[in-house]
Each structure stands twice: as C-alpha cells, then as structure tokens.
Amino acid sequence: MKSTGVIGNDIAAWMAAAFFAVQPASQRPNISIFTGASQGCDDSIQNPIPDFSRFLSLVGVSDQQFISACAATSTLGTCYKPSSQYELAQSSHNDFYHIWGEYGSPLGAIEFHQLYIRAMLEAEHSDLNGLSVAALAAKNNRFMFPSRDQLSIRATYQTSYSFLTKNYIQWLQHLCKKAGVQEDSRPINYLLKSTDGYRIEFHNGDKAGADFLINTCPKLRDQVAPCNSWREFIPFTQVTRKNTVQKRRRLVSDVEFGHNEWRITRYAADSQETTTYVLPDKPVSEENAELFSGCVASPRENQLLHLGRALINLHSPLVCEVDLIWIALRMLQQFYPAFPDGPSVASEYNQRLIAAYENLRDLSQAVFIQVERKLPGTFAAINHCKVSSQLQHKLDLFVHRGKLPAYEHEIYKRQWQQWLLLGLGAKPSRIEPITFHLSPAEMRNVFNKIKSA
C-alpha cells in the first residue's frame, strides 16, 4: 500500500489521519487528507469512555500531555435522574451515579453485585451511591486519579476525559502536520466508484485517488453505501442542541428523563452542552434516515472505509462520537495493513464492527426499557419496539440469575452493564447459590466495610 487518502475535515477525518500517521515507517503509506468536503468541527463536547486512553497510547501521547494540550477535564461516568415532573426526583437518592468501575469488589468466587441483589431480595437496602468511592466523589464534586495499587479503594474505578471538539481537532491537526500528512483543501463534488477503485472528483473537474480511501462525509456516502435505520429498536430523534456557559463543574454527564424525552448534558472547560432527544407518541414517516439511529450496511468495501458520521448515527447516553470512531479504528488495527484487501477482509471487518455497534444499540435500548419499568409512562412507546434476540437473552438471564452473558466485540464492560441495570431499577428474582454461603451478619459486615472505606 503506497497511499492512503482521508476525506473530510471533522473529528473522524483527523483521527483517521493520525491513526495512519503513527504506523511504523516501513509500513506507513503516503497520507493525504482532503478537507474540501465538510464544514469541519463544531462546538460539541466529547466525553468518551475510558477505552479512549488506548487511542492516546496509539499516537504516543500520555494522559497528562493530552489534558494539557486539549484543556481536558476528568470524568467518572454518568448521573441518571428523573425529571422534576416526578415527585420521586425531590429526594436525591433517586439520582443514580453510574461510574466506570466496581461498586464493591468480589468476595472470593462471589461477585459483589450478587451480594447486592441478595440484600435487595432480603429487604436489606443499601444505596448504590454509598458503595462506590467514585460515585461519592462525583456526588460531592471531589476528584482524585485512580490508583494502580489493587489493595486501594481508588483502584475500583476508572477515569476518562471531557473536552471540546475544536480543541481536540486542533491537537490532531498538530500531530498530523508533524507526521507529514499532506492536506488538500480543494472543494469536492463526488466520490466515484470505477473499475480501478474509488476516485475523488473536485469542483474544477480534477480527480484524485489513493490505494485506500477513508470517507467521513455522509453526503459522499449515499451513492455507494446506504444506511440501515435502527428506528425499530430506538426511534429517538434529536430535537435540540444547546451550548451554554458552565455554571458548575461536574465530574459526570447528566441524563435527565421525562415523558417521552431525555436530555444529555455534558461538561467541559467553561461550557456545557445539552442535547434533547424525543420519542414520538405516534409513528412518524422516515423521510430522512439520518434523523434516526442506524449504521451503514457495508462500512468497508475493497479500498474504501466509511468512518464517523458517514458510518454511524447512534443516539446514546453511553457513548459519544469519539467512542464510535475509535471502535472502528480499533477494529481496523486487526486488518491493517491488508492490501489488496479482497471481499473476505471487508466482510469480516463489517461483521465485527456492526456487531460492536449493535451491542451499544441494544444496551441503549435496555436503558429505555428499565426506565419505563421503573417509572411507567416515561418511555411508553418503547414497549412496542423490536428487541433483538441477544438483548432479550441478556434481560431474561439477568432477571432470572442476576448474570449477564459476554457477547463478542462488546466495548462496554460487563460489570458496568450489571450496575447500570441495577441502578436503573432491574430486580433479578434469583441469584447464584454460592452467594448464600455468607450469613446475613457476614453480608452486612461486607457492606459496612465498603461504606467505611
């Protein structure tokens, strides 16, 4: 492979360019980025899950260097809370702080969440927020970096970062320029498929190509890769996005849900961004697939990869745009370099990538389902939506045994999923028999030690 071309000027394009720029010199092709096809960055806030640190490692940057370069702030997870229209919301214990980590550690072969379920079944109530040092830290707006000492309670959680997209893109551009990435800013008309591969056509009629192209622009995608909508599963539409000056610093994103809508507020530097999504009461015509969550049916073809907004449109409180881009690039690592890449390579990549996104789609739908069960009428329309077989398996198994299966290509850790379901009101009817090896007094002692720590 002698040349790679990235089409776009947004977050996905510059992440892809940086990804290729750091490949070993013996394998690295000539890299060009064609920036004349999109509007570039916006003022959105990115709040990725902790796996994002692997991208920083890939491009050879430490977490501290990244924090300094992008004015990033540390984050610990998400706070879920009912809207003020619910009387329950008047008491703070109804806010659930879902952190990236453990609420208590396993006791030998006994998983801690099984002990928590047992306490629920035996009417021994313990507030989840009081069983995690990170949840208490977020609630009281205090922060300390996690510890590598496995005996420390500060080893029970992970942290990530919140930052402005424009700061992040400027930093990526600096990395790419330093690595010798060539920029071509001529306006682009089309992305064309021909017998000898894909070619870019500019406004002036000139054409350009590369051995491998990465397209991040949705307007250049439709001719070669239509989008499959997930409206049957999560039929939310984005209604508003509003940026305001931050009034207070938050270590979590806030998800507030009311009747048929939810609001996600993310915080970074001195600003905050609130995005509102609505689940319509009545079916709506799908005139524009981009309004709904979905995924390109064939993200990768021979010599072409769709990335970012050209690939995915997923509305979820669990992930942000950076997460979705990094998942695709992380998958690409397993197949790169692979040229000439035939149909079998593209098919395998597509299968794995779509499975990863479907896992996130299903988990997002599980959030709606659990909120509706806890507060009936909040997302009533979700009761009529299609549920995938793997999500049904997860929910049934969790309700029956308090366990979750591990599906391939999941990026969201299983322990995070367990506590997310419990925190949103899931009530398993049974637990693993080994959990009853502890007496009630011993079990209470475990909880008290965690609270004291």
Side-chain angles (χ1 to χ4, degrees):
M1 188 185 294
K2 296 180 180 179
S3 60
T4 295
V6 181
I7 308 170
N9 194 27
D10 61 2
I11 190 170
W14 288 104
M15 279 186 73
F19 169 87
F20 282 96
V22 297
Q23 299 298 328
S26 60
Q27 300 175 351
R28 205 192 91 173
N30 293 322
I31 306 165
S32 299
I33 182 165
F34 301 93
T35 57
S38 67
Q39 301 139 354
C41 70
D42 53 33
D43 292 330
S44 64
I45 292 175
Q46 301 294 331
N47 183 201
I49 62 177
D51 196 71
F52 172 70
S53 290
R54 293 174 60 181
F55 177 76
L56 299 181
S57 298
L58 175 75
V59 296
V61 174
S62 70
D63 288 27
Q64 292 297 335
Q65 288 173 320
F66 175 76
I67 290 172
S68 176
C70 293
T73 54
S74 296
T75 58
L76 293 169
T78 303
C79 176
Y80 292 86
K81 52 188 177 182
S83 169
S84 57
Q85 61 191 284
Y86 293 100
E87 292 182 5
L88 291 173
Q90 301 308 315
S91 16
S92 60
H93 70 266
N94 287 286
D95 295 352
F96 164 52
Y97 286 81
H98 181 239
I99 53 91
W100 296 305
E102 290 284 355
Y103 296 73
S105 57
L107 194 65
I110 304 174
E111 295 178 286
F112 182 73
H113 82 278
Q114 292 277 333
L115 286 180
Y116 181 79
I117 297 170
R118 177 184 164 185
M120 289 171 57
L121 296 176
E122 296 178 0
E124 292 274 351
H125 176 73
S126 286
D127 181 14
L128 268 177
N129 294 337
L131 298 175
S132 162
V133 65
L136 285 174
K139 189 174 180 179
N140 292 281
N141 221 32
R142 304 270 180 158
F143 178 78
M144 187 176 286
F145 280 101
S147 171
R148 295 187 178 182
D149 178 6
Q150 293 303 308
L151 297 178
S152 169
I153 196 168
R154 290 196 294 111
T156 59
Y157 62 92
Q158 293 178 264
T159 185
S160 187
Y161 308 104
S162 187
F163 47 90
L164 295 174
T165 298
K166 61 181 180 181
N167 292 349
Y168 182 51
I169 289 182
Q170 288 172 1
W171 172 71
L172 290 170
Q173 289 172 333
H174 172 74
L175 291 182
C176 290
K177 184 176 181 180
K178 189 176 178 181
V181 175
Q182 299 298 311
E183 181 178 350
D184 188 331
S185 59
R186 288 178 290 174
I188 295 173
N189 264 346
Y190 303 107
L191 174 61
L192 305 171
K193 184 176 183 180
S194 61
T195 54
D196 58 344
Y198 293 87
R199 292 292 179 267
I200 300 166
E201 183 177 294
F202 300 100
H203 279 350
N204 61 8
D206 291 347
K207 292 181 174 63
D211 292 337
F212 193 72
L213 282 175
I214 298 95
N215 170 43
T216 70
C217 305
K219 70 176 184 179
L220 299 179
R221 180 202 68 202
D222 294 337
Q223 299 178 38
V224 289
C227 179
N228 286 340
S229 173
W230 289 338
R231 180 169 165 262
E232 292 178 299
F233 300 90
I234 42 177
F236 271 79
T237 57
Q238 179 177 317
V239 177
T240 60
R241 173 177 283 175
K242 183 179 180 181
N243 293 72
T244 57
V245 175
Q246 181 175 330
K247 298 177 181 178
R248 55 177 178 156
R249 183 170 295 234
R250 289 281 281 166
L251 289 165
V252 290
S253 297
D254 285 312
V255 172
E256 186 178 22
F257 33 80
H259 288 297
N260 287 341
E261 72 173 32
W262 64 350
R263 289 177 293 280
I264 306 173
T265 303
R266 295 186 171 103
Y267 307 84
D270 59 350
S271 63
Q272 66 185 46
E273 174 191 83
T274 300
T275 306
T276 302
Y277 297 94
V278 170
L279 180 65
D281 287 318
K282 299 178 180 178
V284 293
S285 59
E286 191 174 336
E287 296 177 356
N288 185 353
E290 293 298 334
L291 289 174
F292 298 97
S293 292
C295 182
V296 168
S298 300
R300 182 173 183 175
E301 298 182 23
N302 188 25
Q303 298 177 280
L304 175 69
L305 175 73
H306 291 293
L307 190 65
R309 294 175 189 177
L311 161 67
I312 191 76
N313 183 42
L314 176 62
H315 308 319
S316 173
L318 306 172
V319 292
C320 66
E321 193 173 2
V322 165
D323 291 314
L324 301 173
I325 297 165
W326 171 232
I327 291 170
L329 291 176
R330 194 180 74 170
M331 294 278 182
L332 190 62
Q333 279 186 296
Q334 302 173 28
F335 296 88
Y336 179 83
F339 182 79
D341 63 340
S344 60
V345 172
S347 177
E348 180 69 15
Y349 176 87
N350 293 344
Q351 182 180 357
R352 294 188 184 191
L353 185 61
I354 291 174
Y357 286 141
E358 286 178 341
N359 285 327
L360 290 172
R361 175 204 68 190
D362 289 348
L363 192 54
S364 299
Q365 188 183 20
V367 170
F368 311 149
I369 291 172
Q370 291 304 323
V371 170
E372 170 60 21
R373 289 176 180 174
K374 184 176 183 179
L375 299 170
T378 311
F379 299 134
I382 206 71
N383 294 324
H384 309 294
C385 290
K386 185 177 179 181
V387 178
S388 73
S389 57
Q390 71 176 25
L391 176 56
Q392 194 62 59
H393 177 213
K394 279 193 172 188
L395 296 176
D396 289 346
L397 185 64
F398 193 73
V399 169
H400 186 71
R401 295 176 58 191
K403 295 184 73 70
L404 284 176
Y407 281 106
E408 215 175 356
H409 312 308
E410 282 192 300
I411 194 168
Y412 218 73
K413 291 184 178 181
R414 184 165 46 167
Q415 64 265 35
W416 300 349
Q417 297 180 45
Q418 290 166 345
W419 292 110
L420 179 62
L421 292 175
L422 287 170
L424 292 176
K427 295 182 179 179
S429 57
R430 299 178 184 83
I431 51 177
E432 297 298 283
I434 192 174
T435 308
F436 289 101
H437 283 216
L438 283 182
S439 68
E442 290 174 316
M443 186 179 70
R444 279 192 293 272
N445 188 41
V446 170
F447 281 94
N448 289 333
K449 282 185 176 180
I450 292 172
K451 293 174 183 177
S452 298

